[in-house]
Amino acid sequence: MILPNSSPKQTQQHTMPQHTRDHFLDDTLTGLLRSPKHLPCKYFYDQRGSQLFDAICQTDDYYLTRTETQVMQQYAAEMGNCLGERVMLVEFGSGSSIKTRDLLDHLHDPVAYVPVDISHAHLMESATDIAIDYPEIEILPVCADFTQPFSLPTAKRKPSHNAVYFPGSTIGNFQVDAAQRLLGSIGKMCGRQGGLLIGIDLQKDRDVLERAYNDDEGVTAEFNLNLLHRMRRELDAAIDVSAFEHHAFYNDRQGRIEIYLRSRVDQTIRLDGHQLPVRAGELIHTEYSHKYTVDGFAELAGEVGWTLREVWTDPDSYFAVMHFVIL
Ligand code: AVI
């Protein structure tokens, strides 16, 4: 058993700081000086933003989390069979590793589980919990931004292959070309016989999609507006947050939900000595959430070397978990 906080010598840990204030300031200024204006969605997830995201996942309107969980619970044994014997399973954006447990329960003699997350505290807490519950699996947490290259830890036993588990449809938050580049680099990282088990939110009725990003309880709106609160808290930005509103809709030509902060009035944001005018009705783009078809995603991944092996979905075909391999 490897317990990250009780046997530190045995635990390989690659540390990386969370996004620093300087990065946040640079990216925010760059985005607000651009036309049209933009703020990167990676900054949604400070402590408050992470709490709000967890709350979104509990809303009735946000079907993604509960649907993916159902698919995982129903088909975890088949997924375990597909992943095969002695895998080293690397989870991207592991967070609290909740969905992973269904999978870990059904793996065949796994060599190691490598949760990868940018939040060090979150990572170590959940790695410790997993280590306690799965004493037979070597747990090798890696604190990293998975959009940047990082090296995989070496397990004590030699794995038959590496497989990445990338749940949550987080790939949908990348622009299509960036998503494809990431899939290509996952393939390179996994190497020969590599595997990829990935959660994908599927294209569906516009109403269902738009409700998921405009939930009745207003949690998604609060999540989006928290980015402005965060700028006030961490960057001393002068912004009238109450003069902005959440705006999200489905762009069916692009197959994506688009999320913006819309200014209700003409106003000026003051940030680090800059005066940034925002017109009434002007949109600041904060996030895309791409929705794919199974065939469309298979084609995207196929172009960078992945072969689709299996697909599991819920009865409404809202969400797919897809298994790819490198031949
Ligand atoms: C993390 N990601 C998959 C979420 C999504 O559905 O695109 C982020 C989110 N943004 C607003 N609600 C949820």
Side-chain angles (χ1 to χ4, degrees):
M1 162 165 57
I2 293 195
L3 276 177
N5 58 359
S6 66
S7 21
K9 281 195 200 113
Q10 285 177 288
T11 306
Q12 293 195 24
Q13 189 197 313
H14 304 222
T15 45
M16 207 199 77
Q18 297 225 36
H19 299 113
T20 61
R21 182 188 181 280
D22 285 353
H23 286 129
F24 184 28
L25 178 60
D26 280 359
D27 290 345
T28 301
L29 265 181
T30 308
L32 292 182
L33 287 166
R34 241 176 61 173
S35 179
K37 294 184 173 59
H38 164 79
L39 290 168
C41 64
K42 66 181 175 188
Y43 295 113
F44 276 149
Y45 299 93
D46 64 346
Q47 202 187 0
R48 176 74 184 137
S50 300
Q51 283 167 354
L52 287 165
F53 180 66
D54 287 347
I56 289 174
C57 296
Q58 306 289 325
T59 62
D60 287 343
D61 292 320
Y62 193 76
Y63 59 84
L64 283 81
T65 313
R66 63 170 179 277
T67 311
E68 182 176 26
T69 303
Q70 271 165 23
V71 174
M72 292 306 296
Q73 284 171 349
Q74 188 168 354
Y75 298 110
E78 286 183 26
M79 294 175 192
N81 294 341
C82 285
L83 287 169
E85 300 226 324
R86 286 186 299 106
V87 66
M88 176 153 100
L89 186 74
V90 183
E91 180 171 357
F92 274 27
S94 50
S96 48
S97 302
I98 290 172
K99 292 178 209 106
T100 323
R101 288 167 180 266
D102 292 318
L103 198 57
L104 293 179
D105 287 340
H106 292 92
L107 293 181
H108 301 287
D109 189 24
V111 160
Y113 168 58
V114 181
V116 182
D117 204 280
I118 198 163
S119 160
H120 187 260
H122 215 161
L123 174 74
M124 296 316 281
E125 200 182 311
S126 65
T128 304
D129 290 347
I130 292 270
I132 291 168
D133 294 342
Y134 295 88
E136 71 289 358
I137 305 179
E138 191 178 6
I139 311 295
L140 299 168
V142 174
C143 188
D145 174 353
F146 59 72
T147 63
Q148 304 301 319
F150 65 93
S151 43
L152 287 178
T154 309
K156 282 194 219 141
R157 292 195 296 145
K158 193 172 159 43
S160 63
H161 64 290
N162 301 317
V164 164
Y165 176 44
F166 193 8
S169 197
T170 302
I171 192 80
N173 296 128
F174 292 78
Q175 302 253 29
V176 176
D177 54 348
Q180 194 174 46
R181 278 197 301 278
L182 181 57
L183 293 170
S185 60
I186 293 174
K188 289 208 179 72
M189 189 185 76
C190 285
R192 279 169 43 108
Q193 313 293 323
L196 171 66
L197 188 68
I198 187 162
I200 301 296
D201 193 26
L202 297 175
Q203 291 181 2
K204 59 183 68 65
D205 195 70
R206 166 188 297 276
D207 284 354
V208 177
L209 284 168
E210 291 191 341
R211 254 187 289 124
Y213 293 85
N214 291 285
D215 64 277
D216 268 356
E217 294 151 66
V219 189
T220 309
E222 233 186 290
F223 173 71
N224 195 15
L225 289 161
N226 179 58
L227 201 44
L228 301 176
H229 287 298
R230 183 175 182 186
M231 285 166 58
R232 283 170 52 111
R233 280 193 297 268
E234 294 181 26
L235 306 178
D236 288 325
I239 311 174
D240 180 2
V241 180
S242 67
F244 281 93
E245 62 194 0
H246 169 71
H247 179 57
F249 64 90
Y250 186 56
N251 177 336
D252 53 3
R253 273 184 304 119
Q254 302 287 345
R256 67 189 181 203
I257 287 283
E258 301 191 359
I259 303 183
Y260 299 89
L261 290 159
R262 181 166 53 200
S263 182
R264 298 177 202 266
V265 295
D266 285 335
Q267 57 177 307
T268 301
I269 296 176
R270 289 183 186 77
L271 176 64
D272 197 43
H274 297 260
Q275 311 253 349
L276 305 158
V278 188
R279 285 172 285 104
E282 189 174 345
L283 300 175
I284 302 176
H285 173 249
T286 53
E287 188 176 51
Y288 289 135
S289 190
H290 289 83
K291 311 300 169 188
Y292 290 97
T293 60
V294 165
D295 289 348
F297 193 79
E299 195 180 322
L300 188 77
E303 283 166 8
V304 288
W306 290 103
T307 300
L308 182 62
R309 265 290 155 83
E310 196 60 73
V311 183
W312 298 273
T313 61
D314 55 294
D316 296 317
S317 294
Y318 275 12
F319 199 96
V321 179
M322 302 174 69
H323 179 227
F324 292 89
V325 291
I326 294 174
L327 296 176

